[in-house]
Amino acid sequence: MYHPNMFESHHMFDMTPKSTSDNDLGITGSREDDFETKSGTEVTTENPSGEELQDPNQRPNKKKRYHRHTQRQIQELESFFKECPHPDDKQRKELSRDLNLEPLQVKFWFQNKRTQMKAQSERHENQILKSDNDKLRAENNRYKEALSNATCPNCGGPAAIGEMSFDEQHLRIENARLREEIDRISAIAAKYVGKPLGSSFAPLAIHAPSRSLDLEVGNFGNQTGFVGEMYGTGDILRSVSIPSETDKPIIVELAVAAMEELVRMAQTGDPLWLSTDNSVEILNEEEYFRTFPRGIGPKPLGLRSEASRQSAVVIMNHINLVEILMDVNQWSCVFSGIVSRALTLEVLSTGVAGNYNGALQVMTAEFQVPSPLVPTRENYFVRYCKQHSDGSWAVVDVSLDSLRPSTPILRTRRRPSGCLIQELPNGYSKVTWIEHMEVDDRSVHNMYKPLVQSGLAFGAKRWVATLERQCERLASSMASNIPGDLSVITSPEGRKSMLKLAERMVMSFCSGVGASTAHAWTTMSTTGSDDVRVMTRKSMDDPGRPPGIVLSAATSFWIPVAPKRVFDFLRDENSRKEWDILSNGGMVQEMAHIANGHEPGNCVSLLRVNSGNSSQSNMLILQESCTDASGSYVIYAPVDIVAMNVVLSGGDPDYVALLPSGFAILPDGSVGGGDGNLHQEMVSTTSSGSCGGSLLTVAFQILVDSVPTAKLSLGSVATVNSLIKCTVERIKAAVSCDVGGGA
C-alpha cells in the first residue's frame, strides 16, 4: 500500500534537463532544435580583409552561412559517432580530410550530436519515471478501495482495523520501500545522464535485491533440482490457489496482528506459560484467550491445542538465520527432518532496504515425523518477517485457512508461530521459538500418541534442537584442522564435497521415510504382516539416483532401550556386522571421519566393508549420524569406489548416485509427558515397560530393476520385506543382549 500523499510534489520525478547555454556546451552553431530539422553546420564568415575594425561603434560585418552536409558525410559522421562520441584533435582532422570538411565543422557536428543524445535520454527517462509514478498512484488507490471494502472472515461484517494494523503498519512499510526505490532510480538516472542511449536505460530495470547466502558446504538449499522434486513440484501443494487481490489486505492485517502476538508470547512468562518437570514450557490456554481475545478465531471443534516455547543460543548470526527462514529451499533443507514438502505460492513484499524487513509471502508446507505411522500436518499460511526497533528480528507464520471456503474438514491450523532472534556477540544469536497448533491427531498410531501429545514430535523443542545441530554442522564444515578428522581426505575441497554429498543423502532419506501425502505407502499383506509398508518410485534422468525402479520399505517399532543406547549401537562400525545383512558379517573399517560439532555422534564417515563375498569386496558406505535433544538418525548408502575417489579429490558430488537407507530414533514420549500406559498395553510381556524406550523406524531403498518401465515382481517385494524384518529382529536381539550385559 502506498501513502496517498507520497507523490504530491510534482518535483519528485522532474528530471527534465535544465536549459544550458551554447557557451556552456562549447557550441557556437545551431541548437538542438535546429539539429533535428537540418543536417549541417553553421559557419561564421568574418570580414574578408582580415583586418580588425577600428571604429568601436561600428558593428562587425558578420553573417551566418549554414553549410548543409552531404548524405555521405552524415553517414560517415554517424558511423564514427557510434564508435567514438568524443574524437580527439587528430581524429577530427582525419575526418575533415576524408569528408572534405573543416576541422571546426567536425567539432561542431559532434558537439551538437552529443547535445541531441543527452536531451533524448533525459526525456525518455523522465517518461519512464512518470509512468512508474502513475502506476504507484493507481496501486495505492486499489489498496485503499480494497481496505474500505474489507470484511471480517469470521462474522462477515466490516473489518475493524486496529490502531496499528493494515492502514498504518503497511503504509509505513510501503512508503519506506518506495522512498528507497525512488532514491535509487534517481541516483541511477543522475549517473547515466549524458551516456549513449544503449547504456543509459539498462540499469533502470528494478530487480529484487540478491540475497545469496554463501554457506560453503552447508549451502542450504543448494540442491536445487532435488529440492524442487522433493518439496511438491506438481503435487497437491501446488493445487492451493494464490490469494486474490481482495484477500491481500486481510492477509496483511492477519500478519501484522500475528507478529504482535508472537513477540508478546516470546517475552511474557507466567501465567501465560507454565513450566513442566522436563523443562518444557506449555501454554495456559485460559490465559492465552484472555490476553489475545481476537486472534484468528475460536478453536474449531474436534481440534486439540498444542503449544510450546523453547529458547537456545546458536552459533550463527541473525542475518543468516533470517535468510534461512525466509528462503523456502534453505528452510526445507535445514529442517528436512521436519519439513517434508514446502512451496512459496506468492511473495507479497520482498522487504525494505535490501533485506527481509517487511517481507511477506504466502506459503504451503507439510510437516512430518520420520515414520509412516504419523500422518503429516499440512498448512496454508502467511510468513511475515520484521526487524524491531531494538534490533531484534522476528519471523511469524499464521494460517490462512479462513480464506479457503472450499477447504475440506480442517485437521490442522497454525496459530501465530515462529521465532524471535536477538543478536549476540561473536556471531551468535539467541532464538526463542514458539509453536502453536490446533490439530486433529486421532489418526496417529497408538505407539506414537505419547510422543505427539507430549509436544516433542512437532513442538518448539524439536525445531530449536534441529536448528542448533545444523548451525554446529555448518560451523564445523567451515572450520579447518578439527580434531577427530581422519585420513583419506587430502584437501579442503574433498572435505567439502563429501559433506555436500552426505547432506543430499540425509535429505533424500528424510523425504522418503514419512507419511507424506506424496507417498503411496502400501501395507504388506503377502506374509501376513501388517507393520511393513512399501512403495515404489521410478527414477529417470536423475544423476543423483540410479535409473530404474526403486523399492522403498519402512517399519516402525518400540523397543525398551533408551534412544542414546540405540543410537550408539547403530552408528558404531564395530557392531555393524551384528545387524547389517548386506555386509555379510564382514569387518567394517572407518576410512574417513568428519566431525559435525561437539557431540561425538554427529559426524560423517566413509566405511569399507571387507567381505568374503567377491561381489561385495571392498564396498564403500557413506554414513552420516546425527543426534540432538529431539531424536537421532543413522543414515547410510553404498557408494561406488570410482565416484567416491572423484568426490574425495574435490569433484562434483551431485552426480554420485545414492539410494539411502537408515534409522530414525525418537524418544517414546512417556517420560515427562504423554500417556505411558499406551506402551504398557503394547508391550505387556516386557517388564521394562513404559519408561525411557525408543521408537525406531527402519527404512530401506533398493534398486529392484534397472529398467524404469519394468513391472515390479512380487518376488522383489517379498525379498525386501524379508530383509527389513530380518534386520529388525537382529537389532532387537543385539540391543537386548547389550542391555542384559550392561545390567
Side-chain angles (χ1 to χ4, degrees), residues 177 180-181 207-215 219-220 319-328 330 347-361 385 393:
R177 184 179 67 82
E180 183 193 13
E181 288 294 333
H207 299 289
S210 172
R211 303 186 177 99
S212 176
L213 180 61
D214 184 10
L215 296 180
N219 188 10
F220 300 124
I319 299 299
N320 289 355
L321 283 174
V322 168
E323 180 160 352
I324 287 173
L325 295 173
M326 296 304 295
D327 183 303
V328 68
Q330 295 189 50
V347 177
L348 302 183
S349 173
T350 58
V352 179
N355 57 42
Y356 283 103
N357 183 24
L360 197 69
Q361 52 196 35
C385 177
W393 288 78

Side-chain angles (χ1 to χ4, degrees), residues 557-563 565-566 668 670 679 683 685-696 731-732 735-736 739-740:
F557 57 96
W558 181 85
I559 52 176
V561 182
R565 189 183 291 264
V566 177
D668 61 13
S670 60
H679 287 297
V683 289
T685 60
T686 306
S687 59
S688 55
S690 59
C691 238
S694 300
L695 297 171
L696 181 60
I731 292 173
K732 287 181 177 179
V735 295
S736 297
V739 171

Side-chain angles (χ1 to χ4, degrees), residues 623-644:
Q623 175 178 292
E624 176 158 354
S625 57
C626 52
T627 184
D628 56 48
S630 66
S632 308
Y633 294 89
V634 178
I635 303 168
Y636 62 92
V639 289
D640 180 72
I641 294 179
V642 176
M644 203 62 208

Side-chain angles (χ1 to χ4, degrees), residues 234-277:
D235 57 28
I236 189 171
L237 293 185
R238 284 198 180 276
S239 66
V240 182
S241 59
I242 62 176
S244 64
E245 289 297 323
T246 55
D247 288 338
K248 290 179 181 178
I250 302 174
I251 291 173
V252 173
E253 183 181 1
L254 280 173
V256 171
M259 177 63 71
E260 180 183 354
E261 179 176 321
L262 178 83
V263 173
R264 290 181 63 187
M265 289 184 69
Q267 297 173 344
T268 304
D270 186 69
L272 184 63
W273 292 98
L274 305 176
S275 297
T276 63
D277 294 338

Side-chain angles (χ1 to χ4, degrees), residues 635-697:
I635 303 168
Y636 62 92
V639 289
D640 180 72
I641 294 179
V642 176
M644 203 62 208
N645 283 332
V646 173
V647 172
L648 293 176
S649 62
D652 186 359
D654 290 341
Y655 292 92
V656 178
L658 292 175
L659 281 180
S661 301
F663 309 92
I665 310 157
L666 301 176
D668 61 13
S670 60
V671 179
D675 185 3
N677 293 327
L678 287 170
H679 287 297
Q680 275 189 323
E681 295 170 6
M682 291 185 294
V683 289
S684 57
T685 60
T686 306
S687 59
S688 55
S690 59
C691 238
S694 300
L695 297 171
L696 181 60
T697 296

Side-chain angles (χ1 to χ4, degrees), residues 415-437:
R415 283 190 177 271
S417 303
C419 64
L420 185 66
I421 304 170
Q422 297 168 283
E423 181 183 7
L424 297 178
N426 301 319
Y428 284 79
S429 300
K430 181 183 179 182
V431 176
T432 302
W433 200 290
I434 292 172
E435 281 294 307
H436 193 182
M437 304 283 291

Side-chain angles (χ1 to χ4, degrees), residues 71-211:
Q71 192 65 28
R72 173 183 169 276
Q73 291 171 334
I74 295 172
Q75 290 176 351
E76 292 293 333
L77 291 169
E78 292 278 4
S79 176
F80 195 91
F81 183 85
K82 292 178 181 179
E83 300 294 331
C84 177
H86 292 272
D88 55 25
D89 290 339
K90 182 179 178 181
Q91 290 171 317
R92 286 198 297 268
K93 289 179 180 178
E94 291 178 356
L95 276 174
S96 64
R97 184 173 61 253
D98 294 342
L99 301 178
N100 196 24
L101 293 172
E102 293 295 329
L104 197 60
Q105 290 178 294
V106 175
K107 178 181 178 180
F108 290 163
W109 188 93
F110 275 92
Q111 288 176 342
N112 291 341
K113 184 66 175 179
R114 288 194 296 269
T115 303
Q116 180 198 34
M117 297 302 294
K118 177 180 177 180
Q120 289 177 351
S121 172
E122 289 175 334
R123 281 201 302 270
H124 192 75
E125 288 180 7
N126 208 15
Q127 290 171 0
I128 291 176
L129 294 174
K130 286 182 178 179
S131 175
D132 287 344
N133 195 4
D134 293 340
K135 290 178 182 177
L136 295 177
R137 286 178 184 272
E139 190 171 355
N140 186 15
N141 292 333
R142 285 199 304 271
Y143 276 124
K144 289 176 62 179
E145 183 179 357
L147 177 63
S148 63
N149 297 329
T151 58
C152 176
N154 297 319
C155 66
I161 308 299
E163 288 183 0
M164 293 294 289
S165 62
F166 174 80
D167 192 22
E168 183 171 352
Q169 287 277 2
H170 193 57
L171 279 175
R172 288 181 176 180
I173 293 172
E174 288 301 321
N175 281 349
R177 184 179 67 82
L178 289 172
R179 289 190 188 99
E180 183 193 13
E181 288 294 333
I182 292 167
D183 292 340
R184 191 175 68 86
I185 293 172
S186 299
I188 291 172
K191 179 179 179 181
Y192 286 92
V193 161
K195 294 286 186 73
L197 191 64
S199 62
S200 293
F201 302 123
L204 291 178
I206 300 174
H207 299 289
S210 172
R211 303 186 177 99

